[in-house]
Amino acid sequence: MTARRWDSALYEAQHRFVSRLGEGLIDLLAPQAGERILDLGCGTGHLTQQIADSGARVTGLDSDAAMLRQARANYPRLRFIRADGQDFQVDAPFDAIFSNAALHWMPDAQGAAACMARALRPGGRLVAEFGGAGNVHRLYEAFSAALRDLGQPEPERFPWYFPAATAYSALLEAQGFQVLAAQLFPRPTPLEGEDGLRNWYAMFLGEQLERLDTADRERVLDACERRLRPTQWRDGHWIADYVRLRVVARLREGP
Ligand code: BEZ
């Protein structure tokens, strides 16, 4: 199970845009009443509920206890289970798997793809969107440079998996999927408020920031803002340099 701990309160307060931007993906999923659908990496459950509104029978799956607590508080009538998206099993196969902004947190992409294939019925569909090659490159570079300039060790490893469309398609095909579409596209994403950039770092690189004392933490965040202001501050808010990979695939019915 991934060791990352989430701040579900900060997520709910400042990062609702993550699920808002995933709403278009539900149209692509086109859930039907009665279908069994798995929301992989459901977070606090907002999209799980929107899928359920179609009459589909949805299960939300997430590895993080705090996120699931919030999801259950938000939507007590829905079913949520705690499991690692890279290593899970289900009791009965699903008609579809939906996943928004979650697969980039699963570095064992092959494990995740194998689990998804096992969790779908033959012919079942996968509709997913997550960070693709080049995602948050500027934000991450600014963070690394600020740590370097302070003489602090850089993060041991890049904590995310951001594949190119071809590489991810090949990975899915190897697990028995037929990839119908795999599209990589930039999605510059406005962050909320003057402190949007600082909040983004606190939310998504919080563990690296927590290793610093308060003064160094402020120095790093100030340095990121200085470095990114010329390119990432527009019309009164910060813009994250998101790049999305959107995938639609179907599990093959035969060999
Ligand atoms: C995202 O693309 O949704 C994302 C990637 C890394 C950190 C936070 C968000």
Side-chain angles (χ1 to χ4, degrees):
M1 181 161 305
T2 41
R4 186 172 203 286
R5 280 171 294 108
W6 286 83
D7 181 340
S8 58
L10 180 60
Y11 190 84
E12 283 288 83
Q14 303 282 350
H15 297 86
R16 287 285 285 268
F17 68 85
V18 176
S19 39
R20 265 201 308 277
L21 291 171
E23 287 170 3
L25 200 60
I26 297 181
D27 295 337
L28 206 54
L29 174 70
Q32 305 296 309
E35 275 193 314
R36 282 174 42 79
I37 298 183
L38 178 68
D39 180 3
L40 180 63
C42 62
T44 51
H46 300 304
L47 295 179
T48 324
Q49 176 61 53
Q50 288 193 32
I51 297 168
D53 288 342
S54 68
R57 289 177 289 152
V58 195
T59 299
L61 180 153
D62 208 286
S63 64
D64 188 79
M67 290 297 226
L68 282 178
R69 249 193 320 277
Q70 187 64 51
R72 290 187 178 115
N74 289 341
Y75 305 108
R77 297 164 72 98
L78 294 184
R79 177 168 183 257
F80 293 102
I81 54 176
R82 185 169 182 214
D84 180 353
Q86 304 158 111
D87 183 15
F88 68 94
Q89 289 183 358
V90 295
D91 299 335
F94 287 89
D95 297 303
I97 296 178
F98 172 89
S99 183
N100 178 57
L103 290 169
H104 51 246
W105 293 107
M106 302 180 200
D108 179 6
Q110 202 171 324
C115 289
M116 292 191 288
R118 276 198 305 271
L120 277 175
R121 66 163 171 78
R125 60 202 191 282
L126 166 67
V127 176
E129 189 177 295
F130 60 109
N135 195 36
V136 297
H137 178 76
R138 286 182 178 163
L139 267 60
Y140 192 74
E141 278 303 303
F143 190 76
S144 298
L147 289 177
R148 253 194 328 269
D149 291 349
L150 265 185
Q152 293 283 347
E154 285 181 51
E156 299 106 49
R157 67 182 180 89
F158 191 63
W160 307 294
Y161 168 68
F162 296 145
T166 44
Y168 197 67
S169 298
L171 187 142
L172 287 179
E173 295 273 352
Q175 296 297 333
F177 284 95
Q178 177 189 14
V179 176
L180 305 174
Q183 189 191 8
L184 188 73
F185 58 97
R187 182 193 281 149
T189 298
L191 304 174
E192 289 169 22
E194 283 265 327
D195 285 337
L197 190 67
R198 299 175 100 80
N199 287 335
W200 189 93
Y201 284 118
M203 180 80 226
F204 297 117
L205 286 167
E207 283 172 26
Q208 276 92 339
L209 280 173
E210 278 165 23
R211 294 193 199 123
L212 307 174
D213 64 31
T214 311
D216 274 353
R217 205 177 301 156
E218 285 306 300
R219 282 188 197 103
V220 165
L221 294 173
D222 288 346
C224 289
E225 285 190 339
R226 266 197 311 280
R227 190 182 175 104
L228 291 170
R229 192 169 290 275
T231 56
Q232 307 307 122
W233 173 263
R234 243 171 285 153
D235 303 328
H237 46 238
W238 292 101
I239 309 279
D241 56 334
Y242 279 16
V243 176
R244 299 334 257 175
L245 178 57
R246 183 174 272 204
V247 178
V248 179
R250 183 171 293 279
L251 193 66
R252 288 182 194 280
E253 307 209 26

